[in-house]
Amino acid sequence: MRPAGYYNQKAVRLKTLAEWFLELKSRTPEREELLSLKGVGPETADSILLYAFKQPSFVVDAYTRRIISNLGLADEKTKYSEIKALFEENLPEDMIVYQEYHALLVEHAKRYYQKKINYSRCPLLKIVLA
């Protein structure tokens, strides 16, 4: 694990999350409960729900933002909640669909959306512009 931000803060936040997780027992948390934990933002909360608790909660990451921005589906400054709603309103509410869709977006972005590559090579542009 590589530190993101301050090393000590990361360790404290991971410890807090681990302690909280142990108290859950077999209960599935609500998204708002996760967001109330220090250091847990929307992307982390949605990732925990989708991948750890198998709940349909679409994850919006930097790759997703780059793709939809380049395709003109949202502005670069569009709020996380608005991008999340865009996907959740247009996909079936299904954990497997959300996991697969997110994985496909990540893979697509790794191929066509690296920071130093010209995004115009994206094959999805042909579909959107058609």
Side-chain angles (χ1 to χ4, degrees):
M1 179 182 325
R2 291 181 291 158
Y6 296 104
Y7 178 79
N8 292 335
Q9 286 181 355
K10 186 82 163 183
V12 168
R13 289 178 179 163
L14 285 172
K15 184 178 177 188
T16 300
L17 184 61
E19 289 169 351
W20 169 84
F21 182 76
L22 290 173
E23 293 173 9
L24 273 179
K25 304 201 187 304
S26 62
R27 182 175 64 83
T28 300
E30 296 292 326
R31 185 172 190 267
E32 295 307 316
E33 183 179 0
L34 285 163
L35 290 171
S36 73
L37 297 171
K38 189 168 182 106
V40 175
E43 183 181 344
T44 301
D46 292 332
S47 293
I48 290 170
L49 287 171
L50 183 62
Y51 295 107
F53 290 99
K54 309 290 189 217
Q55 298 299 305
S57 188
F58 198 84
V59 178
V60 176
D61 56 19
Y63 289 134
T64 304
R65 285 182 173 281
R66 268 186 230 156
I67 293 169
I68 66 162
S69 174
N70 190 50
L71 297 177
L73 299 173
D75 185 74
E76 289 178 7
K77 296 183 181 191
T78 302
K79 293 179 184 178
Y80 182 98
S81 59
E82 294 173 14
I83 297 170
K84 178 180 171 65
L86 174 71
F87 284 95
E88 290 184 349
E89 291 167 4
N90 289 286
L91 292 172
E93 186 179 344
D94 181 276
M95 179 265 307
I96 294 171
V97 171
Y98 286 6
Q99 286 180 342
E100 182 69 14
Y101 211 93
H102 180 249
L104 290 169
L105 285 167
V106 169
E107 182 58 32
H108 182 76
K110 285 181 178 180
R111 290 182 189 203
Y112 299 103
Y113 286 84
Q114 295 301 317
K115 289 185 179 181
K116 296 184 180 181
I117 295 176
N118 184 349
Y119 298 168
S120 65
R121 291 184 29 212
C122 174
L124 294 176
L125 284 169
K126 294 175 187 170
I127 298 168
V128 174
L129 299 174

